Amino acid sequence: MKEGGSLLHERRAQIRHLVAALDQAYDRQSWHGTNLKGSLRGLTVPRASARPAPGRHNIWELAVHAAYWKYAVWRRLTDAKRGSFPLDGSNWFERPSRDHAGLRAWKSDLALLERMHRQLRAAVVSLSPRDLTRRASGSKFTNADLIAGITAHDVYHAGQIQILKKLT
């Protein structure tokens, strides 16, 4: 059994590690290749809104989906009220097709993703070491699990976006 001070130090180190992983998955250089923000950099509206096949999600929808789940993890970490995401709905949000997409809307959704990341990152940084092992109400996962999961979620969708860029 570790002494209280040693365990506290270990959990603080875990928070620093989780923040670093969160940053690498989103916008910092990492060993795994292109991160989420990098996968979206420089995309034109036609490419972001192109569907690889009918009924399939486009890159734009993946970006907003990632923003939503960053929000969902933030909400669970902070016990914030449901329904405060800036867009109506949850999980998947239909975005414009190639014929109806606009640059202003695309930039607005990229800014939403950035805001949700910054909000989530701030919540993770402010966690106490004890908070890492806390479970959100009704969840079987700890806060540390949620943070690791959203990090993997960013990397997963960055990979999807990289593939979609080759297909469209």
Side-chain angles (χ1 to χ4, degrees):
M1 188 82 174
K2 295 190 181 248
E3 293 179 18
S6 179
L7 182 58
L8 183 65
H9 177 75
E10 186 176 302
R11 287 194 181 150
R12 283 189 180 132
Q14 186 180 7
I15 290 170
R16 286 191 302 274
H17 175 73
L18 287 167
V19 170
L22 189 65
D23 286 343
Q24 288 177 11
Y26 180 66
D27 66 355
R28 301 274 166 85
Q29 186 177 7
S30 63
W31 70 270
H32 60 70
T34 307
N35 55 45
L36 182 59
K37 189 172 180 179
S39 72
L40 298 167
R41 187 175 297 114
L43 281 175
T44 63
V45 171
R47 283 194 79 196
S49 60
R51 294 192 187 283
R56 294 295 180 191
H57 295 295
N58 59 31
I59 292 170
W60 193 333
E61 289 167 343
L62 289 170
V64 178
H65 169 78
Y68 174 79
W69 282 103
K70 286 175 178 291
Y71 153 81
V73 171
W74 166 82
R75 188 179 52 73
R76 290 173 184 166
L77 293 176
T78 62
D79 293 324
K81 189 176 122 182
R82 291 185 83 147
S84 56
F85 189 65
L87 303 175
D88 290 335
S90 64
N91 199 15
W92 291 105
F93 301 82
E94 189 173 340
R95 302 330 272 169
S97 68
R98 257 185 196 211
D99 300 332
H100 299 96
L103 182 58
R104 180 176 287 168
W106 170 234
K107 285 185 175 185
S108 176
D109 283 342
L110 289 176
L112 173 65
L113 175 60
E114 183 73 21
R115 278 193 321 276
M116 294 301 105
H117 178 76
R118 296 291 157 223
Q119 178 177 280
L120 171 60
R121 187 186 192 285
V124 173
V125 167
S126 71
L127 290 175
S128 74
R130 186 178 56 187
D131 289 334
L132 287 178
T133 57
R134 189 172 59 83
R135 297 178 198 283
S137 177
S139 177
K140 61 183 174 180
F141 297 104
T142 66
N143 286 335
D145 294 332
L146 293 175
I147 298 162
I150 196 62
T151 298
H153 190 255
D154 275 4
V155 173
Y156 172 77
H157 287 305
Q160 278 188 313
I161 290 165
Q162 293 296 90
I163 291 169
L164 286 173
K165 285 167 38 177
K166 299 242 186 247
L167 294 175
T168 57

